[in-house]
Amino acid sequence: ILLPDRCTRYVNRYERFLSKSSVCRLCESIDVELADICSFPSSNRTLSEIKIKAMAVSSAFGFNQMLSSKHHNNPSSSSPMVLGTRAFPTNNKTTGGLIRCELSSSSVSALQQLKKSAIDRYTKERSSIVVIGLSIHTAPLEMREKLAIPVAEWPQAISELCALNHIEEAAVLSTCNRMEIYVLALSQHRGVREVTQWMSKRSGIPVSDICKHWFLLYNKDATQHLFEVSAGLDSLVLGEGQILSQVKQVREKLRNGFGMVIPGLFEKAITTGKRARAETGIASGAVSVSSAAVELALTKLPPGSASSATMLVVGAGKMGKLVIKHLVAKGCTRMVVVNRSQERVAAIQEEFPSGVEIIYKPLDEMLACAGEANVIFTSTASETPLFLKEHVESFPLPADARLFVDISVPRNVGSCVAELDCARVCNVDDLKEVVAANKEDRARKAMEAQDIIIEESKKFEAWWDSLQTVPTIKKLRRKTDRIRADSVVKFMSKYGKDMDKKTKEAVEDLTRAMVNKILHGPMKHLRCDDTENRPLPETLENMEALNRMFELELELLEEKIRAKMDQK
């Protein structure tokens, strides 16, 4: 990209509408080490300094034809510019363990390959789907709750992620069992680095600690993972249905102009989740996190005490409602529900028969109610603990240790409460012992669901592949129409003075028809829909050929950069 006759022109051209970090990205396209030359992505350098560095890069790499006249006319610039040294293993010809890196004519072919691969990275090679995740299978609860992002903050988080230099699209899936970020990255490694640094900055967890517990998946593996998540195959409770609702929530957040590929991925994940449940029966008899919490609580109580135990449910959202439902199913007919609004509790009460007594209490009476309860379920979206050690110490001493079942992330019950002899605390990680007994039967059904996941993954891949030709189609049509319009303007300036309006419109229509007929053949060979039976590799070869013939690569690159700047 930074050949001598384009180096300064590129920087000057983009100076009008690009940030200096984007100019650095142009330099980065020739060689990763140029990022160091420009202190990428440092904010300490001015645009003028970056210009000088871009000129130096062109000169140092031997691309000085454009600069030669200036070089000869300026005696002060006669001394060669040295960018630095590079370490190599020592041999008989080296001293001090270092050898100065000189570029000779033999290096030109390597540099050309490097330049070509750099252009390919941003134009011919499509971006990568990447998932950076931490789940109940890989990370402790203490880390997951620090990384958790409330649903209300998902759009802001997505906007911040899309503003990163190498991220085009993003989505956040944050639940009690997982924190996963899905991105469409211009560069896999740089994208992962930027997202991980963002996660670290937001949560306060060092990058090194995140890397110890994360999992990274790319493209097909990332697609298959999300489909397994949506189908409930990756859940603690195999086949549970709540995760599908959470995937739908992500899809809803992505409706407001957050790209095309990642929203399409989540759309297909929802289809996969529905099919897996409808066609395999994986959800039949499946327990949820809430039902597992009720089962766990009952196993912790003394035998025969469940019916007489005082139950308190803090939070009447989806999770709280399910807890109430499963308590009733287990024979509990009286419970206290603490919630901000009475309306939601009243609506839940209407769903149960008159024999079930659900008593509403406002949030400011929560501690008083907890002091009278034997079992306390918490499932709120509070980002700070509702119960601390000093709270529980002030409660009346029960006959048996008071049981807290906390299924919230972040936790509603402080970890310090578990230190007390008068309290027992269970959280979502403790549910594993309950669901293990039900896992074997559904694991057999999960094998059937895998066939659906593979089928839907192939459909998504085909759809994603078809998108590769869209930018080329747009740029080709835009370029040819620009040429047509310029030609019409020149023609009209010379011969159009005596033409009436009808004749001028006829010229416009004629030239458009000519362009459309000329483009019909190329466009036909770029189609990836059902109207053509052409194999995808052949279509992509046609696309690359048209990009070369019509010189569309640079226009595609500029379009990507402009899109990034529009996001910022």
Side-chain angles (χ1 to χ4, degrees), residues 506-557:
V507 171
E508 288 281 351
D509 293 340
L510 175 63
T511 54
R512 285 196 180 94
M514 291 172 63
V515 169
N516 289 336
K517 288 181 179 180
I518 293 171
L519 290 181
H520 176 71
M523 293 298 184
K524 182 179 179 181
H525 285 76
L526 287 180
R527 285 183 187 148
C528 273
D529 53 26
D530 296 334
T531 60
E532 296 290 334
N533 295 322
R534 190 175 295 103
L536 179 65
E538 181 182 337
T539 302
L540 297 181
E541 286 179 8
N542 295 337
M543 179 188 73
E544 292 179 4
L546 285 170
N547 283 336
R548 288 193 304 271
M549 288 187 290
F550 288 90
E551 298 180 340
L552 300 177
E553 285 94 342
L554 287 177
E555 294 197 30
L556 292 170
L557 173 60

Side-chain angles (χ1 to χ4, degrees), residues 418-470:
E419 300 171 3
L420 300 174
D421 294 333
C422 62
R424 288 178 293 170
V425 180
C426 300
N427 55 48
V428 289
D429 285 3
D430 297 314
L431 301 181
K432 294 178 182 179
E433 60 183 87
V434 177
V435 301
N438 299 317
K439 203 169 183 178
E440 185 176 342
D441 179 54
R442 285 189 301 280
R444 178 173 44 82
K445 297 176 182 176
M447 297 298 294
E448 302 172 13
Q450 282 291 348
D451 294 335
I452 295 174
I453 289 171
I454 292 172
E455 179 184 340
E456 292 295 336
S457 295
K458 289 180 179 179
K459 289 181 181 179
F460 173 77
E461 288 291 328
W463 173 79
W464 188 22
D465 287 337
S466 71
L467 297 183
Q468 292 186 67
T469 62
V470 173

Side-chain angles (χ1 to χ4, degrees), residues 247-256 270:
V247 172
K248 290 179 180 178
Q249 279 185 305
V250 178
R251 191 265 314 270
E252 291 302 316
K253 300 296 182 184
L254 295 174
R255 287 193 183 278
N256 300 322
I270 293 170

Side-chain angles (χ1 to χ4, degrees), residues 187-411:
S187 166
Q188 286 186 1
H189 302 299
R190 292 179 181 83
V192 169
R193 181 185 62 193
E194 291 170 0
V195 172
T196 310
Q197 289 172 347
W198 178 87
M199 294 170 69
S200 175
K201 182 178 179 181
R202 192 183 190 282
S203 65
I205 301 174
V207 170
S208 57
D209 289 347
I210 293 176
C211 294
K212 288 178 184 177
H213 297 280
W214 71 0
F215 60 87
L216 288 176
L217 298 171
Y218 302 98
N219 297 321
K220 291 183 179 180
D221 292 334
T223 299
Q224 183 163 340
H225 171 75
L226 178 59
F227 290 2
E228 289 174 352
V229 167
S230 184
L233 302 190
D234 193 63
S235 298
L236 174 65
V237 182
L238 193 66
E240 58 100 359
Q242 190 172 6
I243 185 62
L244 182 58
S245 299
Q246 291 160 336
V247 172
K248 290 179 180 178
Q249 279 185 305
V250 178
R251 191 265 314 270
E252 291 302 316
K253 300 296 182 184
L254 295 174
R255 287 193 183 278
N256 300 322
F258 282 113
M260 181 181 293
V261 177
I262 297 297
L265 175 65
F266 274 80
E267 192 73 47
K268 184 60 71 173
I270 293 170
T271 301
T272 304
K274 289 179 178 178
R275 282 194 61 193
R277 287 169 174 81
E279 298 177 25
T280 67
I282 190 173
S284 60
V287 292
S288 64
V289 171
S290 300
S291 66
V294 172
E295 291 282 354
L296 179 64
L298 296 180
T299 61
K300 301 293 183 182
L301 291 175
S305 64
S307 58
S308 60
T310 303
M311 303 288 184
L312 171 64
V313 180
V314 181
K318 289 183 179 179
M319 299 281 279
K321 181 179 177 180
L322 288 173
V323 167
I324 296 170
K325 175 182 176 182
H326 291 293
L327 283 173
V328 173
K330 292 296 182 180
C332 180
T333 57
R334 185 180 184 277
M335 65 200 75
V336 178
V337 180
V338 172
N339 196 58
R340 292 185 184 276
S341 64
Q342 185 176 3
E343 291 78 8
R344 181 169 289 181
V345 179
I348 294 174
Q349 172 71 70
E350 292 176 0
E351 297 182 20
F352 297 99
S354 57
V356 177
E357 185 180 6
I358 298 176
I359 304 168
Y360 165 76
K361 293 293 181 180
L363 198 59
D364 55 6
E365 296 184 27
M366 178 186 69
L367 295 179
C369 294
E372 300 173 359
N374 302 108
V375 182
I376 302 166
F377 295 91
T378 62
S379 60
T380 78
S382 174
E383 296 185 31
T384 56
L386 301 178
F387 295 97
L388 298 174
K389 188 175 182 179
E390 54 267 30
H391 298 146
V392 181
E393 284 179 323
S394 67
F395 295 164
L397 288 175
D400 294 296
R402 186 173 280 105
L403 178 61
F404 291 85
V405 182
D406 185 4
I407 54 176
S408 304
V409 177
R411 286 174 288 184

